[in-house]
Amino acid sequence: MISDFRKMKLMSVLFRNARQPQNENKVPFKAVLPLKLKDHVSSKSQKTLEKGCLYETSLLLTCLEENEFEDKKCIPELKALDECYKNYQKNVQQAHIIKEQMIPVPGSKNQTHKQITYLLRRYPTV
């Protein structure tokens, strides 16, 4: 068996370039800013809805191209695109109504920036 001294020497040779972990007690923590949350949230990263009816539009365009741009032969694709657009408009209106609400909806997983700001101002950090 290798003695403990030889093991330590072997380990120091193997890990010569490795950095030793820093002692936590030697590095003091300096708070640059106060450790509390702001009372508002920015609205920069709000996600938008999906791109409306892209698949149905591509189906209609391929049908029109295959039938030499005669729209009488592509009526089912045209109806599907029309239905999709109506659903998309309805979803956009609902999303707009939800987005404008200031008070958060209980049990909802996604909150808007206005709702989070409302909660932060109602329950400020100490």
Side-chain angles (χ1 to χ4, degrees):
M1 286 191 130
I2 301 174
S3 68
D4 289 336
F5 179 72
R6 284 187 176 174
K7 282 184 185 178
M8 288 176 38
K9 189 168 185 175
L10 180 64
M11 293 301 279
S12 67
V13 169
L14 289 175
F15 298 112
R16 185 177 312 175
N17 295 332
R19 184 175 174 181
Q20 293 292 325
Q22 205 167 22
N23 188 357
E24 295 174 1
N25 298 328
K26 287 186 179 180
V27 182
F29 175 73
K30 296 178 185 176
V32 178
L33 296 173
L35 298 176
K36 69 176 198 175
L37 294 174
K38 294 181 181 180
D39 63 344
H40 65 278
V41 178
S42 69
S43 64
K44 292 180 183 177
S45 66
Q46 289 292 323
K47 306 256 181 186
T48 58
L49 289 175
E50 76 280 348
K51 306 297 182 221
C53 306
L54 186 63
Y55 179 71
E56 286 80 2
T57 305
S58 64
L59 286 179
L60 178 65
L61 289 176
T62 50
C63 177
L64 287 172
E65 187 176 341
E66 289 172 355
N67 294 316
E68 298 177 358
F69 297 99
E70 290 185 29
D71 58 345
K72 294 177 183 175
K73 295 181 180 179
C74 299
I75 291 176
E77 287 84 1
L78 191 60
K79 287 182 180 179
L81 178 64
D82 190 39
E83 276 186 43
C84 177
Y85 185 70
K86 287 178 184 176
N87 289 336
Y88 177 74
Q89 286 293 86
K90 185 171 55 172
N91 291 341
V92 166
Q93 287 177 351
Q94 288 176 352
H96 184 68
I97 291 170
I98 290 172
K99 185 178 175 184
E100 292 300 317
Q101 288 181 346
M102 182 72 108
I103 300 174
V105 179
S108 66
K109 293 182 180 180
N110 299 327
Q111 305 287 339
T112 63
H113 72 280
K114 290 182 181 181
Q115 294 171 340
I116 294 173
T117 300
Y118 172 81
L119 288 173
L120 286 173
R121 289 189 178 153
R122 185 158 182 201
Y123 305 107
T125 56
V126 179

